[in-house]
Amino acid sequence: MPLRGTTQRSLLSYLLLHRNEVVATSRLLSALWPHGVPATARKMVQNSVSGLRTVLSAPRETAERAILLTHAPGYLLQVDSELVDAARFQRLAEQASRAQEAKDPDQAAATCREALGLWQGRALADLVETGIEWPELVTLEDQRLGLYEQLFALELARGRHQEVLADLHEQAGRQPQRERLNGQLMIALYRCGRHADALAVYRRTRASLADGLGLEPGKELQQLEHAILNHDTALITELLPSDGVVTVRASAPGGETAPAPALPAPALPSTALSTPTVARIPVAAAPEPPVRASERKPVVVVGVALADAPEDPEDADDALETLRAVVGSEVAAERGHEPGGPGPVLLGLFGAQRTQDDDEIRAVRAALRIRDRLAEDGRAAHVVVDSGDVLVKFPSAVPVVTGGVLDRCVRSALTAPAGQVLVSDEVRDGGTGAIACASTASAGWWAVEAVHPCPSFEDADAGTFVGRDHDLELLDRLMDNVEARRRAHLVTLLGEPGIGKSRLIGQFRKVLEKRPELEVVRLSAAGATVDHLMRAMSVGMLAPNAAWLRGTDCPTVPDLLCDAAENLTSAGPLVVFVEDLHQADTEFRDCVRGLADALRTLPVLIVVTARPELPVDEPGSAGHTTVSLAPLPDEAIAEMLDTLLPAGRRLLRGKAALIARIGGNPLFATAYAQAVDERTMPFAGYGQASTTAPSTPPLVRRTLATLLDSLPYEEKAVLRDAAAAGDGFSAADIAELSGLDPAVAARLLRTLEARELLTRDRSGREPVYSFQRQALREVAYRQIPRSARVASARQAVRFPSRTA
């Protein structure tokens, strides 16, 4: 209906909030002009009432009517409450509470979603922008948030933490002081294996309460954080009962556990929406603000379109829904993201939220399964996989992505041959040999045959294994100790991508070949479960038997796993290799970490590899050694280059610059050497000179982007600011550029130095930092949008260290 001006809109809105009741004129005047009623206010109300009556009495196609009556001492708006969405919302909220009380969580959750689906933003958002602050709107907003908490508790009780994580992120990000909502987010993050992010939510909530209200979090949220920090095994897989009452185990004297009080349901001001309480779960920390800065990122895109879409609109809609369900499930299974949008081409994104070095491989795996599932359903599809840079914005937990690669993927999906999966040159090369292609289908595109496991460094030339003799000797000595003492030992090898963890394991396995009495078990942790470990140790397919993961008092691996280890060690020691433990879920990580304690009387050496972001637990009673692999020295990298490059192409004048860019990473050495050998990188070589700066190979760029995305958000943001700052920068420079407190900037720079990403020069009045790898600075700088680069460059002119 056409409404004239703010006064008329405000009048109608207030009468709708108090529908079917008399509202006094004095009350209307106070609501419309809370900061002072003008002399002509009564006349303005009368004019607005007259205009509203004209609008409401206008003929309409439906029978929906509202009547505005003058009724002393004010006005009465008569309307069917079912025509007012706020009233429908309150009715549905009451139905959801009754369904929950009747022990029907499915109906309760469905009704909650129906009620919340009525909302399309803040209530009366246009009037709120003008300064309206009615208590009725606060009540309505509290009811909405209470219903979200009720829905999240119901879904968490059913183990649907993945499904509600995005909504939880969005709602909790908008309400950093709402403890119950943020507690639920901590639980969902933990169950998704995101330990650091879960504790970061607690820190954010605590900071918001302290800064805004001068308060500490309530006892319940503090106990949740305590349980997380102590990795309370009773909380690892505990689900919320549908009645919302949860007992959490807290540490008690003597190693026993005592029940901690459940989080209470909040009291709502109007409609009683009984909200279940939150459970608590274990985790480690990295602060990430609710809204992140925009950034340019490399992504891999899967585009899918049906080959023969039905002509009939209803059949076409059914086909599109089938396509959407298949694409959505397979993309999610490979940890991808759907940007949404209508057909006829559906997209899946990999790397938009977090770059990973296997984005190409996971995207192609998902594409092959999408094609095969649609073929089983009798539907042929066009499927393509492409990669490129995009701009990623984070208005909420769900990123918004734009870039030419998305349009290119849509166009290619519409013209690709049906029944095949085509990948671009960039995707094929980025798969590091794992993506097997049959032939070129067209210029720049390859038809995929299969995706093989990623090639390992185990078969690398012995000449390329350099600089790790001490680490190899340590593993060999630990093996001798395990065999002599018949005591289990856990070794964790930590290091950045490409630093040589798999290469070291491969060389160690060659050493173990000299011990024929050994049994060796190897398993990749990516997507693995406890059953996978059992099968790898010759236990066979077993029903889930990990009772210790279900919150009982036995914090060890299942007896069947112990029996398997005893069988395997009957003739000699056992070595268990578990690679990429950082990619495993919480249950599997805890299982592997509990192996040494469970098998302490057996000669078992467990060797685990992981990235530095793996949460570090307190060591158990059995032996545990953690080895952080440092970058190789320049001499070792020079030796690698001499082996990797043919004699006639060995670098001379450009060798030192190349070694500096490699930064001690064996994977980078291999990538740079290949680029030089294939003449895709200009360098001063034998009998030639070059003044062209070296370029960064795609494999190195993606690996460094993966490294950046593995950092806590505030550290990554500082690195991006540092990349814009120039070759040398101080804590004062970063504080000036980022708006951080100088003490916080100094702390973050020291942390990045400890991570060996920055180097520090102490020769001046204050420390000056620079990137340890120039290639990392380039990758961080490439992620900054152009507009932000310009602003940073202008600001950098005024840096304190540059003008001192």
Side-chain angles (χ1 to χ4, degrees), residues 84 116 180 448 517 595:
V84 182
L116 293 168
R180 179 180 174 73
V448 177
E517 73 281 3
L595 269 178

Side-chain angles (χ1 to χ4, degrees), residues 479 482 508-509 512 515 518-522 537 568-569 572-578 603-607:
M479 185 71 254
V482 164
F508 183 46
R509 289 189 65 182
L512 295 179
R515 301 171 182 246
L518 280 178
E519 288 284 352
V520 176
V521 172
R522 181 188 176 195
M537 294 176 67
L568 290 172
T569 56
L574 167 67
V575 183
V576 180
F577 292 103
V578 182
V604 181
L605 179 66
I606 305 110
V607 183

Side-chain angles (χ1 to χ4, degrees), residues 226-512:
H226 182 74
I228 288 171
L229 289 172
N230 287 283
H231 290 263
D232 189 340
T233 56
L235 305 177
I236 292 176
T237 58
E238 189 170 5
L239 296 181
L240 284 162
S242 60
D243 60 5
V245 178
V246 163
T247 299
V248 177
R249 300 188 174 200
S251 298
E256 300 176 353
T257 57
L263 295 178
L268 296 179
S270 179
T271 307
L273 308 176
S274 99
T275 313
T277 48
V278 198
R280 43 199 80 208
I281 296 186
V283 202
E288 181 168 358
V291 178
R292 295 168 52 182
S294 301
E295 57 186 332
R296 297 167 63 100
K297 301 190 71 172
V299 299
V300 183
V301 189
V302 177
V304 186
L306 291 176
D308 298 310
E311 289 292 334
D312 184 84
E314 293 186 35
D315 293 341
D317 183 67
D318 291 342
L320 184 61
E321 286 303 313
T322 299
L323 179 64
R324 198 182 305 279
V326 171
V327 173
S329 63
E330 295 301 340
V331 168
E334 292 291 348
R335 306 191 306 280
H337 159 66
E338 277 190 282
V345 179
L346 299 186
L347 300 179
L349 298 184
F350 294 82
Q353 292 171 307
R354 176 176 175 177
T355 303
Q356 299 186 56
D357 46 11
D358 62 345
D359 282 337
E360 287 90 351
I361 295 169
R362 290 184 293 108
V364 174
R365 274 203 306 254
L368 289 171
R369 290 204 300 269
I370 289 170
R371 178 200 62 182
D372 295 343
R373 282 185 58 183
L374 291 172
E376 292 173 0
D377 197 39
R379 303 180 188 275
H382 311 282
V383 187
V384 298
V385 187
D386 201 355
S387 64
D389 286 353
V390 297
L391 180 65
V392 184
K393 299 179 180 179
F394 295 91
S396 65
V398 180
V400 176
V401 183
T402 53
V405 65
L406 305 180
D407 297 332
R408 188 167 69 243
C409 200
V410 169
R411 291 193 299 269
S412 301
L414 293 172
T415 58
Q420 290 184 335
V421 173
L422 299 188
V423 299
S424 63
D425 285 336
E426 293 79 9
V427 172
R428 175 177 174 267
D429 296 340
T432 60
I435 301 173
C437 299
S439 61
T440 53
S442 60
W445 293 91
W446 297 79
V448 177
E449 284 187 325
V451 177
H452 302 305
C454 284
S456 170
F457 285 120
E458 293 184 6
D459 300 324
D461 190 326
T464 63
F465 181 79
V466 294
R468 299 283 182 215
D469 293 336
H470 175 75
D471 299 312
L472 184 62
E473 182 182 355
L474 173 62
L475 291 176
D476 200 29
R477 287 204 312 269
L478 289 173
M479 185 71 254
D480 290 338
N481 191 51
V482 164
E483 188 172 11
R485 298 179 57 211
R486 294 188 64 81
R487 299 281 293 182
H489 198 94
L490 172 65
V491 183
T492 303
L493 302 177
L494 296 176
E496 67 179 36
I499 202 65
K501 302 182 292 294
S502 297
R503 190 184 295 263
L504 176 59
I505 280 187
Q507 198 68 18
F508 183 46
R509 289 189 65 182
K510 292 179 181 179
V511 172
L512 295 179

